[in-house]
């Protein structure tokens, strides 16, 4: 143990309080100035906005905790993946799925939040099931969790250092949100369902601008790919591939770089626009995908952005809703899919639009990498500071 540090159970660092939910049937309880926190609001180390608020009358039916309180989720499905911890900068109320930890004398509340976050993986080992897929963190086990505690001045200095990293990350995240909104607005102007395309743009069915691909695997060692709605193409496990089509992939469809695939096997509730281009020669299961490539003088990056923006969503949703079988799977025919209509601007406009969207995407990708690097660096810093491996001096005020 570091000089001046000690191991202390959480129960000696904070007082625990339970929350509750005022009657939803009493309109006078809701919509006032007092935050009412649920797990949906616990998105970072510091509480920002909340989805619901209480009037003073409503807050009088539950517990109000002071600024500086640390909230910890103790019940919810999300507990099987993460332990939401949030520091409140103002008095709040909270629901019954959350415990409030009010730091005792000699304990810095911001340090308390940081050290709880650092011990997430250990604390989550105590989570069990409360039924129906709901996780439950036993309060007694949480109270018994041992935490390393330095003197108060060092607690404050550690919290101050980590706060600077949080602020840097938050600024980058705010910038990312702004750029994402800019991209969304740009795409809405160009491809929004309620906005007509420019009059000089032609609109044609897919079958007129693409060529369907049915080529089979050439026997090469190509990766087998599948589509993720969020990530585009990704490697598919060999076991899953064998289960789907036997031990051989010779009859798989072979796609080359820049060619597209649409997952026609999506359920009714799945995204309608999962159309992505390949970035390398790859094999896909033929009966799962409609595969195609552009033909003529068309700019592939433009159509990549167009499909990603969901231009076909409205048309596909209509086809899907009329073609879903009783088992919930699609009965979407190739003729229907390739009859969907898409805009065909002049080639120079395709290129200019694609360049602009790609530039914004690249900026967002760069921000994501910067946020990832800072987050990783902060985790390493927390490990050094919160274990006393790196010592810091703080003022006694």
């Amino acid at each position: 143990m570091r000089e001046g540090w000690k191991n202390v159970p959480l129960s000696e660092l904070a007082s625990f309080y339970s929350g509750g939910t005022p009657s939803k049937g009493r309109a006078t309880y809701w919509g006032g100035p007092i935050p009412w926190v649920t797990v949906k609001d616990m998105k970072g180390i510091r509480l920002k906005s909340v989805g619901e608020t209480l009037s003073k009358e409503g807050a009088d039916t539950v517990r109000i905790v002071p600024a500086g309180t640390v909230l910890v989720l103790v019940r919810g499905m999300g507990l099987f993946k993460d332990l939401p911890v949030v520091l409140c900068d103002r008095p709040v109320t909270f629901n019954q799925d959350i415990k409030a930890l009010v730091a005792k004398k000699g304990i810095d509340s911001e340090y308390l939040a940081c050290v709880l976050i650092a011990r997430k993986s250990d604390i989550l080992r105590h989570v069990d099931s409360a039924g129906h897929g709901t996780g439950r963190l036993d309060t007694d086990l949480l109270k018994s969790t041992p935490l390393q505690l330095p003197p108060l001045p060092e607690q404050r200095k550690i919290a101050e250092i980590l706060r600077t990293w949080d602020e840097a990350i938050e600024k980058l995240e705010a910038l990312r949100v702004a750029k994402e909104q800019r991209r969304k607005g740009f795409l809405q102007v160009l491809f929004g369902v309620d906005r007509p395309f420019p009059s000089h743009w032609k609109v044609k069915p897919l079958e007129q601008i693409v060529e369907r691909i049915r080529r089979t695997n050439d026997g090469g060692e190509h990766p087998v790919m599948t589509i993720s709605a969020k990530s585009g193409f990704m490697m598919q496990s060999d076991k899953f591939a064998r289960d789907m089509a036997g031990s051989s992939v010779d009859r798989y469809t072979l796609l080359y770089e820049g060619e597209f695939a649409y997952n026609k096997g999506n359920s009714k509730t799945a995204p309608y626009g999962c159309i992505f281009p390949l970035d390398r020669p790859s094999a896909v299961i033929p009966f799962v995908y409609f595969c195609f490539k552009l033909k003529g003088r068309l700019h592939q990056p433009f159509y990549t952005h167009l499909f990603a923006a969901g231009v076909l969503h409205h048309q596909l949703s209509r086809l899907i809703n009329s073609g879903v079988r009783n088992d919930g799977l699609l009965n979407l025919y190739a003729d229907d899919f390739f009859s969907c209509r898409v805009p065909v601007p002049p080639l120079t406009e395709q290129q200019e639009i694609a360049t602009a969207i790609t530039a914004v995407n690249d900026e967002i990708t760069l921000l994501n990498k910067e946020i990832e690097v800072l987050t990783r660096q902060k985790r390493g810093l927390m490990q050094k500071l919160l274990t006393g491996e790196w010592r810091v001096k703080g003022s006694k005020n």
Side-chain angles (χ1 to χ4, degrees), residues 87-140:
L87 177 67
C88 303
D89 63 353
R90 55 199 184 276
V92 301
T93 59
F94 52 101
N95 74 2
Q96 59 275 10
D97 295 334
I98 296 168
K99 290 293 182 184
L101 281 59
V102 178
K104 294 183 177 180
K105 184 177 180 181
I107 308 301
D108 182 80
S109 58
E110 192 168 357
Y111 174 85
L112 178 61
C114 290
V115 75
L116 282 170
I117 290 171
R119 293 293 304 278
K120 274 186 180 184
S121 59
D122 295 325
I123 295 172
L124 285 172
R125 294 193 183 101
H126 297 309
V127 173
D128 59 17
S129 177
H132 304 290
T134 300
R136 181 180 68 91
L137 177 57
D138 184 84
T139 302
D140 289 335

Side-chain angles (χ1 to χ4, degrees), residues 239-260:
K239 180 182 183 305
F240 182 71
R242 289 195 298 271
D243 290 344
M244 291 293 289
S247 60
S248 173
V249 296
D250 290 343
R251 295 185 179 180
Y252 278 28
T253 301
L254 176 63
L255 296 179
Y256 295 130
E257 182 178 352
E259 296 178 340
F260 294 84

Side-chain angles (χ1 to χ4, degrees), residues 200-201 297 299 302 345-355:
H200 65 285
W201 287 14
R297 290 174 57 79
H299 191 53
F302 170 81
L347 180 60
T348 54
E349 288 190 44
Q350 294 178 35
Q351 294 168 334
E352 291 169 357
I353 291 169
T355 297

Side-chain angles (χ1 to χ4, degrees), residues 168-329:
I169 293 170
E170 288 172 0
K171 287 179 181 178
L172 289 177
E173 288 175 338
L175 182 58
R176 178 176 61 187
V177 169
K179 289 187 178 295
E180 288 173 342
Q181 290 176 340
R182 173 189 169 199
R183 176 179 62 184
K184 182 179 179 180
F186 185 35
L187 294 175
Q188 182 65 27
V189 169
L190 287 171
F191 305 131
V193 173
D194 298 328
R195 294 176 179 270
F197 297 124
S199 58
H200 65 285
W201 287 14
K202 297 179 180 179
V203 179
K204 298 181 179 181
L206 273 174
E207 61 189 0
Q208 292 186 13
I209 69 167
V210 305
E211 177 183 334
R212 189 174 181 187
I213 296 172
R214 293 187 176 91
R215 77 171 76 88
T216 55
N217 191 12
D218 57 8
E221 295 295 324
H222 300 297
V224 177
M225 308 296 282
T226 187
I227 283 181
S228 162
K230 293 182 178 180
S231 307
F233 276 98
M234 57 190 298
M235 291 290 294
Q236 182 169 276
S237 71
D238 291 338
K239 180 182 183 305
F240 182 71
R242 289 195 298 271
D243 290 344
M244 291 293 289
S247 60
S248 173
V249 296
D250 290 343
R251 295 185 179 180
Y252 278 28
T253 301
L254 176 63
L255 296 179
Y256 295 130
E257 182 178 352
E259 296 178 340
F260 294 84
Y262 170 73
N263 186 352
K264 62 181 179 181
N266 284 331
S267 70
K268 182 178 179 181
T269 58
Y272 303 132
C274 298
I275 305 173
F276 295 99
L278 267 294
D279 61 358
R280 75 192 93 168
S282 304
V284 299
I285 300 173
F287 56 82
V288 174
Y289 301 100
F290 291 134
C291 303
F292 59 92
K293 64 179 179 180
L294 299 172
K295 60 184 181 182
R297 290 174 57 79
L298 298 172
H299 191 53
Q300 185 262 342
F302 170 81
Y303 284 93
T304 297
H305 294 313
L306 181 141
F307 293 139
V311 168
L312 297 187
H313 284 193
H314 182 68
Q315 297 174 73
L316 288 172
S317 66
R318 188 172 62 248
L319 292 170
I320 287 169
N321 289 327
S322 64
V324 175
R325 304 196 306 260
N326 290 334
D327 57 10
L329 297 179

Side-chain angles (χ1 to χ4, degrees), residues 18 113 159 232 275 301 362:
S18 299
I275 305 173
D362 289 345

